[in-house]
Each structure stands twice: as structure tokens, then as C-alpha cells.
């Protein structure tokens, strides 16, 4: 418990340093562009592949489980749509990004720490926390929602393809996709994603920035980053769903 | 000139620095010598606030580092160059970008002026034309020299070097030592060098402090060092066969 408070204290001290005006805007813009690429662009293909196949599986599973003649077949489109928008895209993709982006943030900062590159920034009179972490946080908060929207779109294409293989006609599927569509669900997914992006980037940065020791410590920081941000995502998923949807 | 008074530092229960006081003089290569683990790196890092001190005073030409605001500390740090043990070059930047980085960050110089300054510093460390290399392509000695170039690019008043020749062969080590010594004289810098290497001591030891288990045991210059009767100092200095023979010859 005291350990938890200790971590929380250090986290808030770090965040206090992170949230400050960049010392040099042109360098900040360069860093931000670099991070957009590392944090966001490099994950696009992973998100596309995952979403396509999960979408396909969701629609096949739904059609198998609704094998009763009483249920209209357009339900497959509707169920795939809602499960993708509500849970799979925002939560599952965020968990996967916690693994990919979180571990890369933690190991990058961790190895900068143990090779004294962070000290080298500090000694030059640079606020290293803000210089290194702020662009990552902003890049994640801006880019993750795009990834989630891409995931929703590709997931639905996957669901359509999966549906075809389970003999759901395109017309039925499309009908289900549009049936009682609640645009608010998309907003809800984006709100969740922004929270998750903040959690992944700051928690991973916390573990990387506070690495202490050598190469083994870098590995440990990266594991801790992934585990902790995954747990926090699930916890906040529960809290946010409760607050926003009910 | 950097003066420290009664510095105390703990890491948890580990009492790393015990009542350390010293005067590092301007225009001189001030040496901190001692075994591994004696607290040399910690001493250099507490000077500039990379680790917080428990108590004591650090004065940079009379300015109490720990009494000024964070913003002022950052300004003061821009006057300090530091050479880290492993070089600490930013590994995603080329040699040129590494050296130019402080200029980009803190000066309004034009691209041409910045490049001129970078090339001047590269020439000073005898690495002309190596602008485009990446840190992963450099040898140990080159890494140290690029790090020196980066440390002096802002024309610092203070230069701190943590084991500048660790991991280098003796010949390269002496080249680096002499380079630091020359730069110190040329620009009248207050330089502090951490080392456990007796060759460095004999090469550039003008103002030496011997630190043992976090305490200062001895102060003096290299001539006094060889004639000292301090047991711990002698154990350290004459640990190597070469220096033992040197003592016998005397
Ligand atoms: N960041 C740190 N956290 C905890 N203990 C440290 C840290 N840095 C150094 N120490 C301890 O402080 C002592 C002095 O280390 P150091 O200053 O690195 O010695 P030297 O540079 O003379 O080899 C050692 O006992 C070391 O374990
Ligand atoms: Mg050391």
C-alpha cells in the first residue's frame, strides 16, 4: 500500500514536470511528428489485420449462435457493429496498443535513463520529462482515436466477409449494420480511447523514466508498463462504461 | 570556481557522501580520485542537482545552486558542460545533430553559424568531417571526443567529466586527458574530472582530492601525492605494480 502511494506520488511529480510549455517550439514540433509516426502510424497495419479477422470471427460466431429461424439474419450485422464499436475497437485494441506502444515507450525511456541520456538532457538545462514525454502523450491522444475508427471500419468489413461465408446476404448484413444505429456509441468509444491513450502513454513513460539499474531493469520497466497499463485500462473501462452508458 | 561545503548524501541506508568539502579552482583540471564505488559519480551528480543533496552547500562562483529557483538552475546548467561515463550521445541523432542540439535548443543562431560552431568543435576534438556518422558507428575514443565536443559547444564556464577515459586503451586515454586539460586552459574553465586511473593523475593532476568510502581523505597535487604518508591513499596509488616500482626507484 505504501508502495502504491509512493508510485502515485512519483507519477504526479513526473506529470507536473511533463505538463509545461515546451522550451523550443520548432524542436517540439519535430519531436511530435516523430512520435506520431512511432506511436501511431507504425501501428496502423497491426490494427487493420487484427480488426479484420476479429470482425470476421464475431460475425461467424454470431450467425452460428443465432441459428434459430425466429431470429432475423440482419441481427448479425447489428450485433457485429455494436460489439465492435462498444468493446472490441476501443478496449481490445487499446489493450493491444498497451503491449506494443507501451513497451516501446518504456524501453526507449528506460534505455535513455540507464545510458545517462536523460541526465545529459537535464544537465543541458532541459526539462527532460516534458521534452521526452509530452510529445508521446499528445501523439497518443491524437492518434489512438484514428486507429480506433480505422479498426471499427475494417472490423465491419471483416464482419461482412465473415457473414458472407456464413450465408448472410450483403443486403441483410447492411440492413443490420444501419438498424437503430446510435451515433453516440461512437463518441463513447472515442472518449474511452482518449482516456486509454493517456493511461498507456503516461504509465509507460512513468516506468521507463524511473528505470533504475541496467539492461535487466529496462526489461522489467517495460513489463511493468504493459501489465499496469492493461489493468488500468480494464479498470477504467468498467468505470467509464458505468458513468457514460448508464 | 566551484566550492562545496559539508555535503551529505544517502541512498536509503547507504551513506554515500560524508561531510565532503572542496574547492575546485578555475582554469585547472581538478581531479577526484578514488576506488570504484567510493562516491565519485555521486559527488559530480549532486553538484548539479542530478541527485538531491541531504545537506550542504554548492556554490558556482558564489551562486548557491540549491537556493535558486528551478528556472535559474536550468539557466546555470546551460553554462555547464558534462562528459558522461558512457558518452550519453543521443542515439537517434548523428554526430552533427548531437553537437548542434544545445545550439538548436537555446540559441537564435542561423543555420550557417550553428554549423560553423559545430565544425569548429569537431575540429577541436580532431574529428573533422565526421558529421554524418551515427553514435553506433563510433569507436569508444570517438564517442568520448564527440561527447567532449557537445559539452563545449555552448562555451561552458564549467566542465564536469565522469571517468573520461574508462574503457579506452592507454594511448587514447592520454589523448582524451590532454584534450580536456588543453580545453580547460584555453577557455579558462573550471574542470572537474573523476578518475581511478593513475596515468591520468600523473598526466593532468594539478588539484587532486582523494575520496574513500564517501569521505575526503587527502588533498594536494601530483608531486605531493607520490610523497604522501596517508595509508589509504598509498594503498590506492600504489595498487598497481608500475607505481610500486616507481616508489621504490625514488
Ligand atoms: N542511483 C543510485 N541509487 C542508489 N545507490 C546508488 C546510486 N548511485 C550510486 N549508488 C551507490 O552509491 C555508492 C557510490 O557510487 P558511485 O558514486 O557510482 O561510485 P564511483 O563513481 O566512485 O564508482 C555505491 O555504493 C553505489 O551503489
Ligand atoms: Mg562512477
Amino acid at each position: 500500500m505504501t508502495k502504491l502511494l509512493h508510485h502515485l506520488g512519483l507519477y504526479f511529480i513526473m506529470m507536473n514536470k511533463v505538463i509545461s510549455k515546451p522550451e523550443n517550439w520548432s524542436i517540439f514540433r519535430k519531436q511530435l511528428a516523430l512520435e506520431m509516426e512511432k506511436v501511431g502510424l507504425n501501428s496502423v497495419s497491426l490494427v487493420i489485420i487484427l480488426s479484420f479477422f476479429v470482425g470476421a470471427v464475431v460475425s461467424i460466431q454470431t450467425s452460428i449462435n443465432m441459428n434459430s429461424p425466429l431470429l432475423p439474419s440482419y441481427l448479425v450485422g447489428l450485433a457485429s457493429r455494436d460489439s465492435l464499436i462498444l468493446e472490441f475497437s476501443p478496449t481490445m485494441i487499446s489493450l493491444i496498443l498497451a503491449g506494443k506502444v507501451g513497451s516501446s515507450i518504456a524501453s526507449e525511456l528506460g534505455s535513455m535513463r540507464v545510458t545517462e541520456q536523460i541526465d545529459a538532457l537535464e544537465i543541458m538545462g532541459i526539462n527532460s520529462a516534458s521534452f521526452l514525454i509530452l510529445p508521446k502523450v499528445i501523439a497518443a491522444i491524437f492518434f489512438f482515436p484514428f486507429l480506433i475508427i480505422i479498426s471499427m471500419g475494417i472490423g465491419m468489413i471483416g464482419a461482412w466477409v465473415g457473414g458472407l461465408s456464413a450465408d448472410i446476404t450483403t443486403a441483410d448484413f447492411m440492413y443490420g449494420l444501419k438498424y437503430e444505429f446510435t451515433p453516440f456509441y461512437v463518441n463513447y468509444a472515442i472518449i474511452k480511447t482518449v482516456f486509454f491513450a493517456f493511461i498507456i502513454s503516461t504509465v509507460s513513460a512513468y516506468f521507463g523514466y524511473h528505470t533504475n539499474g541496467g539492461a535487466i531493469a529496462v526489461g522489467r520497466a517495460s513489463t511493468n508498463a504493459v501489465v499496469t497499463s492493461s489493468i488500468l485500462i480494464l479498470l477504467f473501462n468498467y468505470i467509464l462504461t458505468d458513468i457514460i452508458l448508464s | 570556481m566551484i566550492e562545496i561545503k559539508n555535503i551529505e548524501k544517502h541512498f536509503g541506508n547507504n551513506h554515500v557522501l560524508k561531510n565532503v568539502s572542496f574547492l575546485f579552482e578555475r582554469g585547472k583540471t581538478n581531479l577526484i580520485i578514488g576506488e570504484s564505488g567510493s562516491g565519485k559519480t555521486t559527488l559530480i551528480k549532486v553538484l548539479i542537482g542530478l541527485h538531491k543533496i541531504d545537506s550542504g552547500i554548492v556554490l558556482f562562483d558564489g551562486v548557491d545552486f540549491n537556493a535558486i529557483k528551478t528556472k535559474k538552475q536550468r539557466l546555470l546548467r546551460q553554462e555547464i558542460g558534462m562528459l558522461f561515463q558512457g558518452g550519453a550521445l543521443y542515439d537517434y541523432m548523428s554526430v552533427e545533430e548531437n553537437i548542434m542540439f544545445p545550439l538548436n535548443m537555446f540559441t537564435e543562431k542561423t543555420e550557417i553559424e550553428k554549423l560553423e560552431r559545430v565544425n569548429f568543435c569537431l575540429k577541436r576534438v580532431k574529428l573533422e568531417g565526421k558529421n554524418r556518422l551515427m553514435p553506433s558507428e563510433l569507436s569508444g575514443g570517438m564517442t568520448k571526443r564527440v561527447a567532449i565536443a557537445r559539452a563545449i559547444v555552448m562555451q561552458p564556464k564549467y566542465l564536469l567529466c565522469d571517468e573520461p577515459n574508462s574503457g579506452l586503451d592507454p594511448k587514447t586515454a592520454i589523448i582524451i586527458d590532454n584534450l580536456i586539460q588543453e580545453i580547460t586552459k584555453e577557455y579558462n574553465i573550471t574542470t572537474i574530472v573523476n578518475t581511478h586511473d593513475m596515468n591520468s593523475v600523473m598526466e593532468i593532476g594539478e588539484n587532486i582530492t582523494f575520496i574513500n568510502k564517501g569521505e575526503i581523505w587527502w588533498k594536494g597535487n601530483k608531486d605531493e601525492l607520490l610523497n604522501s604518508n596517508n595509508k589509504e591513499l598509498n594503498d590506492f596509488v600504489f595498487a598497481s605494480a608500475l607505481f610500486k616500482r616507481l616508489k621504490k626507484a625514488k
Side-chain angles (χ1 to χ4, degrees):
Chain A
M1 190 64 197
T2 49
K3 219 171 157 193
L4 183 68
L5 287 178
H6 175 76
H7 279 302
L8 268 179
L10 282 179
Y11 174 83
F12 283 112
I13 290 171
M14 181 190 90
M15 287 313 293
N16 191 26
K17 274 174 79 189
V18 169
I19 300 167
S20 71
K21 215 178 90 209
E23 275 139 298
N24 182 318
W25 283 101
S26 77
I27 290 191
F28 178 76
R29 274 194 296 272
K30 268 187 220 149
Q31 293 275 107
L32 189 59
L34 204 71
E35 295 300 339
M36 286 281 186
E37 190 185 329
K38 282 195 288 190
V39 169
L41 275 180
N42 290 345
S43 304
V44 171
S45 49
L46 176 72
V47 167
I48 288 177
I49 294 169
L50 278 171
S51 306
F52 180 85
F53 285 106
V54 171
V57 170
V58 166
S59 78
I60 294 173
Q61 299 259 10
T62 320
S63 65
I64 292 172
N65 288 320
M66 295 199 300
N67 217 348
S68 144
L70 285 178
L71 295 169
S73 60
Y74 69 78
L75 268 183
V76 173
L78 187 152
S80 309
R81 177 196 75 202
D82 283 353
S83 54
L84 282 168
I85 294 181
L86 288 175
E87 278 311 315
F88 174 74
S89 292
T91 310
M92 290 303 292
I93 291 289
S94 292
L95 282 172
I96 285 154
L97 290 173
K100 183 171 189 286
V101 176
S103 65
S104 98
I105 289 178
S107 57
E108 180 189 329
L109 292 176
S111 67
M112 288 189 79
R113 169 65 76 191
V114 302
T115 57
E116 299 183 305
Q117 290 177 54
I118 292 182
D119 283 346
L121 285 171
E122 284 290 328
I123 179 64
M124 282 176 188
I126 294 166
N127 175 347
S128 64
S130 169
F131 179 80
L132 294 170
I133 300 171
L134 190 61
K136 294 186 198 302
V137 177
I138 293 177
I141 287 179
F142 268 92
F143 218 103
F144 281 15
F146 283 107
L147 289 176
I148 294 321
I149 290 170
I150 291 172
S151 163
M152 291 173 185
I154 301 288
M156 284 178 214
I157 294 173
W160 168 64
V161 173
L164 287 180
S165 75
D167 293 332
I168 309 289
T169 64
T170 304
D172 276 349
F173 183 82
M174 286 303 167
Y175 180 76
L177 215 53
K178 291 181 205 145
Y179 188 82
E180 285 190 352
F181 173 60
T182 324
F184 175 71
Y185 284 176
V186 177
N187 297 349
Y188 154 80
I190 289 173
I191 293 169
K192 284 212 298 194
T193 306
V194 168
F195 268 85
F196 297 160
F198 185 80
I199 290 173
I200 294 170
S201 53
T202 60
V203 169
S204 308
Y206 168 79
F207 283 105
Y209 193 77
H210 291 91
T211 303
N212 205 335
I216 296 174
V218 177
R220 201 180 319 123
S222 145
T223 311
N224 285 340
V226 176
V227 171
T228 311
S229 38
S230 302
I231 293 174
L232 287 175
I233 286 172
L234 292 173
L235 181 70
F236 274 84
N237 187 35
Y238 171 71
I239 297 173
L240 289 173
T241 307
D242 205 41
I243 294 176
I244 304 176
L245 282 192
S246 60
Chain B
M1 187 174 85
I2 304 174
E3 189 173 10
I4 53 176
K5 291 182 191 163
N6 313 102
I7 301 285
E8 293 281 344
K9 173 70 190 171
H10 289 80
F11 285 117
N13 290 328
N14 189 357
H15 198 170
V16 182
L17 295 175
K18 299 165 193 162
N19 197 24
V20 175
S21 303
F22 198 69
L23 184 70
F24 301 100
E25 294 170 39
R26 182 152 188 207
K28 281 192 180 171
T29 322
N30 302 275
L31 249 48
I32 302 172
I33 64 173
E35 291 174 21
S36 272
S38 53
K40 302 183 297 295
T41 301
T42 308
L43 178 54
I44 251 184
K45 287 194 174 172
V46 296
L47 284 183
I48 44 179
L50 289 177
H51 295 310
K52 279 215 167 63
I53 48 175
D54 302 339
S55 63
I57 298 179
V58 180
L59 299 168
F60 283 81
D61 289 303
V63 177
D64 183 346
F65 184 83
N66 293 295
I68 56 180
K69 291 223 172 74
T70 314
K71 273 229 175 82
K72 281 244 169 95
Q73 284 183 343
R74 295 220 169 98
L75 286 177
L76 179 58
R77 281 177 174 181
Q78 290 172 28
E79 301 186 335
I80 305 171
M82 177 146 183
L83 180 57
F84 289 88
Q85 195 162 350
L89 299 179
Y90 305 124
D91 38 33
Y92 61 96
M93 295 184 194
S94 67
V95 165
E96 177 181 301
E97 287 164 337
N98 258 289
I99 303 173
M100 202 183 275
F101 181 75
L103 299 175
N104 285 334
M105 205 69 200
F106 298 113
T107 66
E108 305 286 311
K109 287 183 165 49
T110 64
E111 289 302 316
I112 297 171
E113 286 168 332
K114 283 188 281 193
L115 195 58
E116 251 171 31
R117 178 71 191 149
V118 168
N119 285 332
F120 173 84
C121 293
L122 269 176
K123 198 166 169 208
R124 189 65 199 77
V125 298
K126 304 206 169 62
L127 285 177
E128 305 86 322
K130 304 289 185 198
N131 303 46
R132 295 266 153 260
L133 291 181
M134 296 304 286
S136 55
E137 298 170 298
L138 303 175
S139 69
M142 284 161 90
T143 302
K144 293 278 164 104
R145 283 190 276 168
V146 174
I148 293 175
R150 187 179 67 180
I152 61 171
V153 72
M154 296 280 284
Q155 298 174 300
K157 283 165 75 179
Y158 314 96
L159 181 62
L160 312 181
C161 311
D162 191 12
E163 311 257 4
N165 46 27
S166 73
L168 301 181
D169 62 88
K171 206 169 148 196
T172 313
I174 285 176
I175 294 174
I176 299 286
D177 282 341
N178 286 331
L179 184 60
I180 292 171
Q181 172 92 317
E182 285 161 25
I183 287 171
T184 302
K185 301 286 172 206
E186 240 170 270
Y187 306 113
N188 199 20
I189 303 176
T190 305
T191 298
I192 304 179
V193 175
N194 268 351
T195 186
H196 59 245
D197 180 0
M198 283 308 299
N199 290 320
S200 303
V201 176
M202 299 322 291
E203 198 71 27
I204 57 174
E206 307 173 80
N207 183 27
I208 308 172
T209 174
F210 170 61
I211 179 167
N212 185 29
K213 299 195 183 86
E215 273 180 274
I216 297 223
W217 286 66
W218 182 88
K219 300 173 186 182
N221 63 32
K222 62 184 175 194
D223 300 318
E224 291 161 355
L225 181 95
L226 290 179
N227 300 316
S228 157
N229 294 322
N230 186 311
K231 177 170 178 312
E232 281 74 15
L233 179 66
N234 281 335
D235 284 351
F236 174 76
V237 171
F238 299 107
S240 89
L242 184 67
F243 280 88
K244 254 182 227 144
R245 238 181 280 159
L246 202 78
K247 176 128 190 170
K248 270 198 196 126
K250 269 203 154 186

